[in-house]
């Protein structure tokens, strides 16, 4: 699977999140990590659900993201089809919009880079990190217009660069700039969503744009790849859950963790 390279629910961050979200959630998370039988975990989950339950998760537009894969490969049906649980996968343009929806109560789980999560917590949102994943090689890139004269990161100084601020692509851009002693103050940053970045490059309104690799085909005839993200170790996402949901449904939360791991292992 090219879109997701690794997942670890047993990281320090995940363990701390499980402890902070209550004893029941901690026990549920440990049962998943220790390989508790699927039917036992399912039975425990059923006891905490009164009637029907709808779980909505926010995923990215790429078909290679974790819950999109889980949906396409039938892993969601395998996990929840026999229960009174409706599992909805909703698509968003990026981590910030996912966590806005999570804050608004329309989602119970979301995937995003570390920056949107930190911003959400700073704004008082009660979420917990339950898993982390590493996006695969060459997942993001900086595309430069063929006539821009840009051949190195240093050449980005003073240029118009289109990027979605607050996303993992933004973090990648800032990390790459730092390697050549540049900051956001040294460029003209155009805060645009993916579709508008593509339009800006096509119209000549931006000299460079930061894109996910799966979007590059739209501008490959008018641009070159300057650098890929795997050279800068910024390809990390985290899975967050609304803490109130995790406390009320710790074993169901553990099943979502298991589902996530199944999709990534694929």
């Amino acid at each position: 699977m090219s879109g997701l390279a690794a997942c670890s629910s047993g990281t320090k961050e995940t363990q701390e999140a499980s402890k902070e979200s209550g004893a029941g959630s901690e026990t549920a998370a440990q049962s998943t990590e220790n390989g508790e039988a699927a039917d036992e975990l399912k039975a425990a989950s059923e006891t905490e659900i009164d009637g029907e339950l709808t779980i909505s998760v926010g995923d990215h537009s790429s078909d290679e993201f974790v819950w999109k894969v889980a949906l396409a490969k039938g892993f969601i049906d395998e996990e929840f089809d026999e229960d009174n649980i409706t599992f909805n996968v909703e698509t968003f343009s990026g981590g910030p919009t996912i966590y806005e929806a999570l804050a608004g109560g329309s989602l119970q789980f979301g995937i995003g880079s570390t920056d949107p999560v930190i911003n959400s917590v700073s704004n008082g949102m009660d979420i917990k990190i339950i898993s982390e994943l590493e996006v695969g090689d060459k997942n993001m890139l900086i595309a430069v217009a063929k006539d821009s004269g840009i051949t190195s990161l240093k050449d980005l100084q003073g240029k118009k660069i289109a990027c979605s601020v607050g996303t993992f692509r933004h973090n990648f851009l800032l990390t790459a700039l730092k390697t050549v002693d540049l900051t956001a103050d040294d460029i003209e940053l155009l805060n645009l969503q993916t579709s508008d970045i593509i339009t800006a490059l096509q119209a000549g309104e931006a000299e460079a744009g930061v894109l996910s690799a799966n979007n590059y085909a739209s501008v490959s005839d008018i641009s070159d790849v300057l650098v890929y993200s795997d050279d800068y170790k910024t390809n990390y996402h985290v899975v967050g859950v609304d803490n109130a949901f995790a406390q009320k449904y710790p074993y169901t939360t553990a099943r979502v963790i298991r589902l996530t791991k199944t999709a990534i292992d694929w």
Side-chain angles (χ1 to χ4, degrees):
M1 179 179 174
S2 60
L4 301 173
C7 175
S8 173
S9 291
T11 63
K12 179 180 179 181
E13 292 84 356
T14 306
Q15 291 168 354
E16 290 176 349
S18 296
K19 291 177 182 178
E20 292 174 4
S21 58
S25 184
E26 179 181 6
T27 302
Q30 288 175 343
S31 71
T32 302
E33 292 172 6
N34 295 337
E36 181 177 342
D39 56 345
E40 294 179 1
L41 185 58
K42 178 180 178 181
S45 170
E46 290 174 346
T47 63
E48 62 191 15
I49 299 174
D50 183 15
E52 298 183 355
L53 178 67
T54 297
I55 300 174
S56 296
V57 302
D59 211 340
H60 294 248
S61 57
S62 171
D63 289 336
E64 296 180 341
F65 265 88
V66 58
W67 289 316
K68 301 282 281 297
V69 168
L71 181 63
K73 295 299 176 181
F75 301 145
I76 293 175
D77 286 342
E78 290 176 10
E79 183 66 52
F80 294 116
D81 195 41
E82 296 180 359
D83 303 318
N84 292 326
I85 297 175
T86 301
F87 196 96
N88 297 324
V89 178
E90 301 184 22
T91 299
F92 293 81
S93 60
T97 54
I98 289 175
Y99 279 93
E100 285 175 8
L102 193 55
S106 60
L107 298 177
Q108 285 72 54
F109 297 84
I111 291 179
S113 64
T114 53
D115 288 348
V117 177
I118 292 171
N119 292 337
S120 297
V121 173
S122 298
N123 290 328
M125 182 178 171
D126 190 13
I127 63 172
K128 299 301 176 186
I129 305 305
I130 58 173
S131 185
E132 67 176 9
L133 51 96
E134 181 180 0
V135 181
D137 291 344
K138 297 185 176 181
N139 181 264
M140 298 176 289
L141 56 86
I142 298 177
V144 297
K146 289 184 181 292
D147 59 357
S148 66
I150 300 172
T151 59
S152 69
L153 286 171
K154 199 71 175 178
D155 294 333
L156 294 176
Q157 186 169 6
K159 303 295 186 181
K160 294 181 179 179
I161 305 175
C163 182
S164 300
V165 173
T167 66
F168 66 122
R169 294 180 297 280
H170 185 213
N171 184 44
F172 158 46
L173 172 63
L174 296 179
T175 301
L177 290 174
K178 187 176 180 180
T179 64
V180 292
D181 297 321
L182 296 178
T183 70
D185 293 334
D186 296 309
I187 63 173
E188 186 174 344
L189 183 61
L190 308 177
N191 183 14
L192 302 173
Q193 296 301 314
T194 297
S195 59
D196 295 324
I197 292 173
I198 292 171
T199 299
L201 285 169
Q202 292 172 334
E205 296 170 354
E207 294 153 290
V210 187
L211 294 166
S212 296
N214 60 298
N215 297 125
Y216 179 62
S218 299
V219 294
S220 60
D221 59 330
I222 60 169
S223 67
D224 297 310
V225 175
L226 182 64
V227 291
Y228 285 100
S229 56
D230 51 318
D231 295 328
Y232 300 93
K233 308 300 181 186
T234 59
N235 298 4
Y236 289 91
H237 280 66
V238 292
V239 179
V241 60
D242 173 61
N243 192 39
F245 181 92
Q247 289 182 329
K248 185 175 182 179
Y249 304 107
Y251 288 98
T252 304
T253 297
R255 292 177 69 186
V256 176
I257 295 174
R258 182 173 64 188
L259 170 67
T260 304
K261 293 175 67 175
T262 299
I264 294 171
D265 288 343
W266 177 85

